[in-house]
Amino acid sequence: MKKLGFGLMRMPLTDPNDDAKVDLEQVKQMVDRFMEKGFTYFDTAIMYNGFASQRVAKEAIVERYPRDRFTLATKLHSAFFNSAEEMEKVFNEQLEQTGAGYFDYYLLHGIEAGSYPKYEQFNCFGWLLEKKEKGLVRHAGFSFHDTPELLDEILTKHPEMEFVQIQLNYLDWESEWIQSRKVYEVAVKHGKPVIVMEPVKGGTLAKVPPEAEKLLKEREPGLSVPSWAIRFAASQENVMMVLSGMSSMEQMADNLSYMEDFHPLTGEEQGLLQRVAEIINAQIAVPCTGCSYCTEGCPMQIPIPKYFSLYNEDMRENLEEKGWTVNFTNYENLTKQFGRAQDCVGCGQCEGVCPQHLPIIEKLKDVSAHFDQ
């Protein structure tokens, strides 16, 4: 397979404030363009795009192409089961929602220290192998958000897992928190191919500070800023697939332009990205990727990723000089439909599901101090 996968997580919308309102016709056009260029891998999950992603996969892909023409991946998340019976129910619903008949890749989703015991408690690894033996799953693996030490422990105990999906990008490559490089190296040690999620870090690496963009454009004027992030991930030798959550035909066309005939980055180019990462890291207030896992259970309906995005943008501005930015208006517009940052009750459900392990409650206080006051 070519190394670019279509992540059905940030699809184009007909209503920007409702992730479930997917622009199906535009997605169909994007799928067609993707397939025409020889790419076949699609990645979905229960909660993506406001729980609409698997239905969209059925309507945009499964019902329009022969089953042997595409590769479909989906996942079992620990939040959706508390018994073996509920695991079966989830899997059967996924088969029904996608209409796929079987899944080419199936993942135990978002494994980290807090959720790993649950996957062991219900023998999810053995359960997944049973699905494979029955022909309902072709390849069994898991996605992972934690330390290299925990990944080493899991792969040592479960060598039967065929692949690992990890967060990998040039900004997190040497991060003390995400540890992309070290996690990747554990997968290599165990001989497991890697599927990459968040190569553009939720859009952070698509819109970089002017100083960083200048370095990239001086090197390759014809390449887009996000292309460097996708290419960095795909250049790692043990990476088999890089997922991109494309939300427009323009993003699709850009990705296809350099991934159709992919050439790995040179050592000099990878060194350039280390300099770019240093510039970006100096300016990010909240390293949120916008996955929105935190919003589904928020009792105050606070659009946490949207607020963090506005806050990050303002923190890059010279506020002493400007005094006001359009982000204040954008924030007020959002509060007409959602809760304010100051409405946070500190329940902690958001922090329990955040793949980045962010101190969301404290960061919302910063957002509130900035926008609400």
Side-chain angles (χ1 to χ4, degrees), residues 29-316:
Q29 294 174 19
M30 294 169 69
V31 167
D32 292 344
R33 181 75 172 273
F34 192 71
M35 299 280 281
E36 285 169 6
K37 294 296 184 178
F39 296 87
T40 63
Y41 194 100
F42 297 89
D43 175 86
T44 184
I46 298 170
M47 72 289 288
Y48 289 176
N49 267 102
F51 292 82
S53 181
Q54 292 183 152
R55 170 185 58 79
V56 172
K58 180 178 183 179
E59 296 181 28
I61 307 164
V62 178
E63 294 181 342
R64 301 175 63 243
Y65 286 92
R67 185 62 185 89
D68 60 356
R69 286 279 310 281
F70 61 88
T71 303
L72 186 63
T74 194
K75 313 169 184 78
L76 175 72
H77 193 282
S78 61
F80 298 105
F81 68 89
N82 285 297
S83 68
E85 292 75 19
E86 288 180 351
M87 289 162 56
E88 288 297 319
K89 181 181 178 182
V90 167
F91 190 85
N92 291 332
E93 287 177 350
Q94 289 176 306
L95 287 175
E96 180 181 355
Q97 288 174 5
T98 62
Y102 64 89
F103 298 111
D104 300 277
Y105 289 79
Y106 197 90
L107 299 84
L108 303 179
H109 191 27
I111 294 183
E112 40 84 27
S115 64
Y116 177 48
K118 187 172 185 178
Y119 286 114
E120 289 288 6
Q121 176 187 355
F122 292 101
N123 188 30
C124 294
F125 295 91
W127 171 85
L128 183 51
L129 290 182
E130 291 176 4
K131 297 300 181 190
K132 184 180 176 183
E133 290 172 1
K134 293 178 180 178
L136 297 173
V137 169
R138 298 291 174 85
H139 300 283
F142 60 94
S143 63
F144 183 80
H145 284 285
D146 214 297
T147 65
E149 291 79 16
L150 180 59
L151 180 59
D152 189 47
E153 176 185 336
I154 295 172
L155 289 177
T156 299
K157 186 173 183 179
H158 296 286
E160 69 276 11
M161 292 293 101
E162 300 171 80
F163 65 95
V164 182
Q165 184 166 304
I166 66 172
Q167 178 170 322
L168 189 157
N169 56 69
Y170 69 80
L171 194 61
D172 293 326
W173 189 243
E174 297 295 348
S175 163
E176 294 182 11
W177 190 254
I178 304 298
Q179 302 183 81
S180 285
R181 177 180 60 79
K182 292 181 180 179
V183 171
Y184 168 78
E185 288 173 350
V186 170
V188 171
K189 184 183 81 170
H190 286 269
K192 305 301 179 185
V194 167
I195 297 175
V196 172
M197 54 185 163
E198 301 292 357
V200 191
K201 200 170 175 65
T204 296
L205 302 182
K207 186 179 180 182
V208 300
E211 181 185 353
E213 182 174 0
K214 183 174 183 290
L215 290 176
L216 298 178
K217 289 299 184 180
E218 286 177 347
R219 172 71 187 194
E220 292 288 349
L223 287 176
S224 68
V225 170
S227 72
W228 285 89
I230 300 287
R231 292 164 61 229
F232 174 85
S235 295
Q236 309 312 313
E237 186 176 357
N238 205 50
V239 167
M240 62 170 282
M241 186 62 57
V242 179
L243 303 177
S244 177
M246 294 170 273
S247 56
S248 70
M249 183 60 80
E250 290 73 20
Q251 290 179 8
M252 170 72 72
D254 182 48
N255 282 346
L256 296 180
S257 69
Y258 54 83
M259 289 301 292
E260 185 176 5
D261 184 22
F262 172 68
H263 297 283
L265 295 178
T266 65
E268 181 183 351
E269 289 172 325
Q270 297 207 33
L272 174 63
L273 289 181
Q274 291 181 13
R275 292 169 58 198
V276 170
E278 291 172 0
I279 295 170
I280 299 171
N281 275 320
Q283 299 189 29
I284 294 179
V286 186
C288 170
T289 66
C291 70
S292 293
Y293 289 4
C294 56
T295 60
E296 295 299 333
C298 178
M300 306 309 292
Q301 295 185 303
I302 301 172
I304 299 167
K306 295 182 187 296
Y307 288 171
F308 284 167
S309 177
L310 294 177
Y311 184 67
N312 280 337
E313 287 187 26
D314 257 18
M315 292 302 100
R316 297 189 186 107

